[in-house]
């Protein structure tokens, strides 16, 4: 018997009320000139990644994006107030929204990349807030449900963490004779449901299905709701074949349960990337006692995993004090290949900021390890940029605005009832800071510490005020440090807490040949060449100068660990996304000592060696001399974007953390 196809019909709008900035203010904002970072590079990243085509068919410029985002976030809050019979003062909120917009225009604070791209669109108004969230996580005890949820969220652009809790004790080979037919709907829900049905035929002894892909739109067709173009059915067919192979192999005793669950979840991530969805990032969480987990990326032993294993960061979870005795083993693996990362669950569940007891039950993490999460939970982030704030008061004002944005996004529910239950209870948000290394080197550790302490109190106070006003629980956690990929490039600062790799560098950006961006950059004299790795793609080269902040190679690993510890103690009550870089010859032998010293004081960390090996043609980031920088910058004219049109943005497909890059 074939189940009824479960395509969700989105006929009822999730956000009914609308807020609109006053016309005269919008006209004034459009007349302002935006200041992007890193010369023309930040602006090119904006137009490639976040600028959308407006409903009237014209192209968004920065002021248009700001207006869309502010109208969107205020519409969410207005709809919540009016839907729950709360007082809404239109004059008050119009005044506030204009200040919020001006601060965002100047990039003193910004939403995350997904907020820049999709906030204020029909997709959000009609389908809810899943796509506004940066990250999520799921427990795999019920593998079919976890796999279906993961695929659903990845296709919404949400990075997903998963554990290896699946026990695999109810799995038997299904009877594949006389299969029922499942016609896969041409939707995100249809793809995810097909994965669930396939796994359940093994884990829950439900009928075996033959999949009919005839309704799936052909490759290259536009995706009108979420944006982008369709991949056709090929990636889904490949995923079905892979999952069937993994489960057959498990049933035949050739791989263990850890391998099976990791293979299934990694294959889902690879399918989503191949399916032209905007982003797919995963983190696998396992036990330090599980050798199978520790060897997932040992492609000498598991060569067949090379085609899927790259999609996730792999991290061991320390659950008890005895696990700290395994740090020498972890250090050995880190020296060999830069993994695993470490999550100290004892500190996660005991503390908000380190030393500040505030228990919670999160046991999972997002792909870049800045947020600890419960199963099915999502978290949305925002970011503050001190280098764009005129003074210290402006820095705190930007923090208020960033807190307002993230707290408001938490009001909007998703299309998943399991997720809504956790969001409604926790209202978890993450207000982040980027350019921390710049602050440290410019103002010193004392000033940085003072601002972090005051800033945390402010974020907590603003979140509490907004929660009381909206009649919802206070957010269980409110601050973090995220890795800040393309967003910090728009602003022109160091990302998150990390130090820049080079003072002078070439930043490369890949553009599809059919994109109108290509002609704009070529006319401005930006150097370019054919992409060596992707067909129909051009690689453009921008020279950038990253200021006087120390290069990462000049900052000892112990100092990086000390900065991480400071941020976990004074600022972040979630986690801190941190990759500690080390000299493999000088500092490599001391990894065990550093882990033993700092892991008890933090919640998460990963490590990578400084290395010139593995350099490849057309790297995204390449160091150059000051003289080379000056010669290159002199040959590029001002880029004229005033007549640019025809691009609907495309975010990076991968997690922007350094470990993923």
């Amino acid at each position: 018997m074939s189940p009824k196809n479960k395509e969700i019909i989105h006929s009822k709008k999730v956000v009914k009320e609308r807020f609109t900035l006053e016309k005269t203010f919008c006209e004034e904002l459009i007349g302002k000139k935006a200041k992007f970072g890193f010369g023309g590079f930040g602006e090119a990243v904006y137009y490639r990644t976040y600028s959308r085509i407006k409903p009237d068919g014209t192209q968004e410029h920065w002021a248009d994006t700001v207006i869309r985002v502010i109208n969107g976030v205020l519409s969410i809050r207005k709809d919540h107030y009016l839907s729950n019979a709360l007082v809404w003062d239109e004059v008050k909120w119009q005044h506030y929204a204009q200040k919020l917009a001006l601060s965002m225009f100047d990039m003193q604070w910004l939403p995350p990349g997904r907020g820049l791209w999709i906030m204020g669109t029909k997709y959000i108004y009609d389908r809810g807030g899943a796509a506004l969230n940066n990250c999520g996580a799921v427990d795999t005890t019920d593998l079919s449900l976890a796999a279906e949820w993961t695929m659903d969220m990845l296709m919404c652009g949400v990075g997903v963490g998963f554990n290896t809790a699946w026990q695999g004790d109810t799995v038997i080979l299904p009877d594949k004779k006389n299969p029922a037919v499942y016609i896969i709907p041409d939707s995100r829900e249809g793809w995810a449901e097909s994965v669930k049905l396939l796994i359940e035929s093994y884990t829950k002894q439900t009928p075996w299905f033959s999949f009919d892909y005839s309704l799936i739109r052909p490759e290259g067709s536009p995706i009108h709701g979420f944006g982008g173009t369709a991949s056709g059915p090929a990636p889904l067919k490949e995923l079905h074949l892979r999952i069937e192979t993994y489960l057959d192999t498990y049933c035949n005793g050739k791989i263990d349960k850890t391998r099976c669950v990791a293979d299934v979840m990694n294959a889902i991530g690879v399918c989503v990337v191949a399916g032209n969805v905007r982003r797919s990032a995963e983190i696998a969480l396992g036990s330090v006692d599980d050798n199978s987990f520790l060897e997932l990326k040992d492609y000498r032993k598991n060569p067949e995993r090379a085609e899927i294993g790259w999609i996730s960061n792999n991290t061991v979870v320390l659950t008890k004090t005895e696990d700290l005795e395994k740090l020498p083993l972890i250090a050995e693996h880190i020296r060999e290949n830069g993994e695993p990362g470490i999550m100290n669950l004892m500190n996660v569940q005991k503390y908000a900021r380190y030393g500040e007891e505030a228990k919670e039950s999160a046991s999972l993490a997002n792909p870049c390890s800045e947020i600890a999460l419960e199963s099915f939970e999502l978290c949305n982030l925002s970011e503050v940029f001190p280098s764009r704030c005129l003074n210290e008061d402006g820095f705190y004002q930007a923090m208020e605005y960033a807190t307002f944005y993230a707290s408001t996004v938490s009001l909007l529910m998703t299309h998943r009832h399991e997720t809504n239950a956790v969001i409604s209870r926790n209202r978890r948000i993450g207000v982040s800071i980027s350019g921390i290394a710049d602050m440290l080197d410019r103002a010193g550790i004392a000033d940085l510490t003072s601002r972090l302490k005051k800033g945390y109190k402010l974020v907590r106070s603003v979140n509490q005020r907004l929660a009381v006003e909206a009649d919802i629980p206070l957010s269980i956690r409110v601050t973090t440090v995220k890795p800040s990929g393309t967003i910090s490039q728009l602003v022109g600062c160091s990302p998150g807490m990390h130090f820049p790799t080079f003072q002078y560098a070439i930043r490369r950006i890949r553009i599809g040949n059919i994109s109108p961006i290509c002609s704009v950059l070529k006319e401005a004299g930006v150097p370019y060449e054919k992409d060596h790795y992707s067909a129909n793609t051009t690689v453009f080269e921008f020279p950038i100068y990253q200021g006087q902040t120390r290069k990462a190679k000049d900052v000892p690993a112990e100092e990086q660990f000390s900065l991480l510890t400071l941020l976990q103690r004074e600022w972040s009550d979630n986690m801190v996304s941190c990759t500690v870089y080390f000299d493999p010859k000088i500092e490599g032998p001391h990894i065990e000592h550093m882990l033993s010293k700092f892991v008890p004081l933090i919640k998460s960390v990963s490590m990578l060696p400084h290395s010139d090996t593995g350099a490849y043609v057309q790297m995204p980031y390449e160091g150059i001399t000051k003289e080379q920088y000056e010669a290159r910058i002199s040959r590029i004219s001002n880029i004229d974007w005033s007549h640019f049109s025809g691009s609907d943005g495309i975010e990076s497909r991968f997690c922007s953390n350094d470990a993923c890059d």
Side-chain angles (χ1 to χ4, degrees), residues 488-504:
S488 63
Q489 294 169 8
L490 301 187
V491 175
C493 68
S494 58
M497 67 159 282
H498 295 110
F499 290 80
T501 307
F502 309 104
Q503 186 176 26
Y504 297 94

Side-chain angles (χ1 to χ4, degrees), residues 232-284:
L236 184 59
K237 289 181 179 180
E238 178 69 17
L239 175 62
H240 289 156
L241 178 61
R242 281 176 167 162
I243 292 177
E244 181 180 355
T245 301
Y246 302 148
L247 290 168
D248 283 350
T249 305
Y250 175 76
C251 290
N252 291 325
K254 296 181 179 179
I255 60 174
D256 65 11
K257 62 184 182 68
T258 298
R259 264 292 305 271
C260 188
V261 67
D263 286 358
V264 168
M265 300 298 268
N266 283 167
I268 290 171
V270 171
C271 171
V272 172
V273 168
N276 286 332
V277 175
R278 295 172 63 77
R279 183 175 120 107
S280 181
E282 293 182 340
I283 188 170

Side-chain angles (χ1 to χ4, degrees), residues 51 72 193 269 288 385 471-472 560:
S51 172
E193 180 69 13
V288 69
F385 301 92
D471 196 24
I472 61 169
Q560 297 172 60

Side-chain angles (χ1 to χ4, degrees), residues 116-245:
L116 276 181
W117 189 72
I118 208 163
M119 173 60 87
T121 64
K122 185 176 184 296
Y123 185 92
I124 294 301
Y125 293 145
D126 291 352
R127 303 198 181 194
L132 289 172
N133 286 270
N134 291 67
C135 48
V138 68
D139 176 87
T140 63
T141 299
D142 184 337
L143 181 58
S144 61
L145 176 59
E148 184 254 344
W149 188 89
T150 295
M151 189 160 192
D152 186 3
M153 288 299 144
L154 288 175
M155 293 179 77
C156 287
V158 177
V160 175
F162 64 90
N163 61 15
T164 53
W166 182 63
Q167 294 302 302
D169 52 3
T170 62
V171 180
I172 61 172
L173 281 169
D175 181 359
K176 300 181 182 180
K177 299 177 182 177
N178 302 315
V181 176
Y182 180 70
I183 304 173
I184 303 173
D186 186 28
S187 65
R188 182 187 72 248
E189 296 85 4
W191 283 43
E193 180 69 13
S194 71
V195 169
K196 182 180 180 183
L197 292 174
L198 174 57
I199 296 174
E200 284 182 342
S201 67
Y202 289 86
T203 62
K204 299 182 180 180
Q205 291 76 60
T206 57
W208 178 256
F209 286 97
S210 171
F211 294 116
D212 182 333
Y213 304 89
S214 61
L215 294 182
I216 297 176
R217 74 194 79 180
E219 182 179 3
S221 303
I223 302 173
H224 296 292
F226 196 78
T229 57
S231 64
L236 184 59
K237 289 181 179 180
E238 178 69 17
L239 175 62
H240 289 156
L241 178 61
R242 281 176 167 162
I243 292 177
E244 181 180 355
T245 301

